[in-house]
Amino acid sequence: MQPNEQPFTYTADRSVYTSAALAFGFLILIESSLVAILILVLAPTMWLKLVLLLGLVGLNVWAIRNLRSPLATAHALTPQTLHLRYGDSLNLELPRSSLAAAQPVQESVGGLGTFSARYDADRDRVVAVFSPKGQILLTLTEPHTVRLNWQRAETRQILINVDQSDVLLAALNLPQSVAAPATSQQDRADLPLLRKHSPSSVPSPVPLDGEDALILDDVSRHFGEQVAIDSLNLGIRRGEIYGFLGPNGAGKTTTIKMIVGLLRPTAGRVIVAGHDVWADPLAAKAAFGYVPDRSLLYERLTGVEYLQFLAQMRSLPQDETDQEIEYLLDLLDLAPHAHKLS
């Protein structure tokens, strides 16, 4: 620990991690025992048996060390830097000037992500969380290359958690979202519904005027060297109906995934009801509904229960919810099936 470093541990809540680690450790024990038996039975010579058993022991020691390493590390804050440490998988020193925003969030923790930091390609962020509690989403001013074990990732967001998240947030003293550039109404020319630009003619940022329900501001998405969306500008005003038409591979699904927050743009902004989908995700997602091409239904909920669940997620009043559900079921001739599971 360096002078003036303030440590921030993240291991106070060990319930999720312990459960996953014990299950993983049990699997290691069972598989190692079976492999050891096979080595003793099938290896033709004693020296080969010894070499293979020593290799198996070394592999188990390495796995156990990886399970334990997050318990022995902590993040640290200095007047100039934020040092992120997560076991042996993440050791990153960020200048505090590179931090644009820090906001409290709570997301599920599962899989091997609790054992080591990982790159979440769907959300384009580094995930280094020990438990669902005390999570903080850090947004950087520009993309930063992060080394995770043997992997390198370029990201503008890092998800961490600390035991004293409120203390760290207060010490960082950062906004909870990245504000859109302020621009006057007079600076905004009418935005065409769909416009593509060559890289040599990048437009200025699109200001908000309160009438646009959805804005895609110079949005691009690259998959490696492949350009799926190139500088897309789109403005849909309140009350308008807009549809995407195009052949397979035109970028329709990619664009929709960026709008609903399932895929982070390589460049540009997505603004829903005045909220940046990636800088202020909760407010943006509370403003729209999304029906995917594959329905995700809970098999133990009836039709009415599922609609009530969706209404509760949006904090809608119970009386209004019941009236609206009854109206929609009658309108769509689904009332006889409202209380069926399938």
Side-chain angles (χ1 to χ4, degrees):
M1 191 69 64
Q2 300 178 2
N4 298 326
E5 269 196 355
Q6 183 179 2
F8 285 92
T9 59
Y10 46 78
T11 57
D13 179 24
R14 304 188 179 195
S15 57
V16 175
Y17 184 87
T18 301
S19 300
L22 288 176
F24 192 68
F26 180 75
L27 292 176
I28 291 177
L29 177 63
I30 297 298
E31 292 183 359
S32 298
S33 300
L34 294 175
V35 172
I37 293 173
L38 291 175
I39 290 173
L40 292 173
V41 173
L42 300 177
T45 61
M46 184 59 66
W47 69 266
L48 182 57
K49 292 179 181 180
L50 181 60
V51 170
L52 293 176
L53 288 174
L54 288 176
L56 181 62
V57 170
L59 184 62
N60 287 337
V61 170
W62 174 81
I64 293 173
R65 185 177 184 275
N66 277 351
L67 290 177
R68 181 187 175 279
S69 60
L71 300 172
T73 56
H75 307 306
L77 183 67
T78 72
Q80 292 79 31
T81 63
L82 174 62
H83 197 164
L84 301 179
R85 307 183 185 100
Y86 194 84
D88 297 329
S89 60
L90 177 65
N91 191 344
L92 176 64
E93 191 168 303
L94 292 170
R96 293 179 63 167
S97 59
S98 68
L99 300 173
Q103 63 186 99
V105 297
Q106 184 171 358
E107 300 184 1
S108 62
V109 178
L112 299 180
T114 55
F115 302 148
S116 63
R118 72 184 193 279
Y119 177 66
D120 186 342
D122 291 336
R123 297 189 177 186
D124 192 18
R125 69 173 56 159
V126 170
V127 178
V129 291
F130 189 85
S131 79
K133 296 183 180 179
Q135 292 183 359
I136 297 175
L137 182 61
L138 302 171
T139 302
L140 309 180
T141 56
E142 59 185 16
H144 194 94
T145 300
V146 181
R147 183 174 181 178
L148 305 171
N149 293 319
W150 302 282
Q151 180 186 16
R152 288 182 179 272
E154 187 174 86
T155 184
R156 284 192 61 177
Q157 288 192 327
I158 303 176
L159 180 64
I160 65 172
N161 74 287
V162 295
D163 299 329
Q164 296 177 303
S165 58
D166 54 342
V167 177
L168 178 57
L169 287 169
L172 291 174
N173 192 25
L174 293 169
Q176 291 194 8
S177 62
V178 180
T183 317
S184 66
Q185 168 69 19
Q186 295 179 350
D187 293 335
R188 186 186 190 279
D190 288 337
L191 180 66
L193 286 182
L194 184 61
R195 187 170 75 244
K196 297 192 70 174
H197 299 268
S198 64
S200 61
S201 60
V202 177
S204 58
V206 179
L208 306 178
D209 62 5
E211 297 181 3
D212 292 302
L214 172 65
I215 291 178
L216 272 67
D217 180 15
D218 198 32
V219 171
S220 297
R221 176 65 197 191
H222 301 169
F223 295 94
E225 297 182 355
Q226 181 181 0
V227 179
I229 305 296
D230 184 15
S231 300
L232 174 61
N233 285 273
L234 172 66
I236 301 177
R237 301 191 182 275
R238 301 178 188 275
E240 288 184 333
I241 297 176
Y242 190 90
F244 287 128
L245 295 176
N248 292 339
K252 304 183 298 295
T253 301
T254 299
T255 301
I256 292 174
K257 284 186 175 181
M258 290 190 292
I259 292 173
V260 301
L262 294 177
L263 189 65
R264 186 179 182 88
T266 304
R269 297 181 301 154
V270 179
I271 310 295
V272 175
H275 303 285
D276 189 308
V277 171
W278 291 97
D280 195 6
L282 294 181
K285 292 176 182 179
F288 67 76
Y290 170 56
V291 180
D293 54 356
R294 295 184 180 180
S295 301
L296 299 177
L297 302 176
Y298 293 95
E299 296 180 354
R300 296 186 179 182
L301 295 182
T302 65
V304 168
E305 289 171 341
Y306 185 70
L307 293 174
Q308 290 174 340
F309 163 71
L310 295 178
Q312 291 170 11
M313 290 291 291
R314 295 177 176 273
S315 300
L316 299 180
Q318 184 66 45
D319 293 342
E320 295 181 14
T321 297
D322 293 339
Q323 294 176 7
E324 191 69 17
I325 290 176
E326 183 178 356
Y327 167 74
L328 291 174
L329 291 174
D330 290 338
L331 179 67
L332 300 173
D333 293 328
L334 291 175
H337 308 283
H339 299 283
K340 295 180 180 180
L341 291 175
S342 59

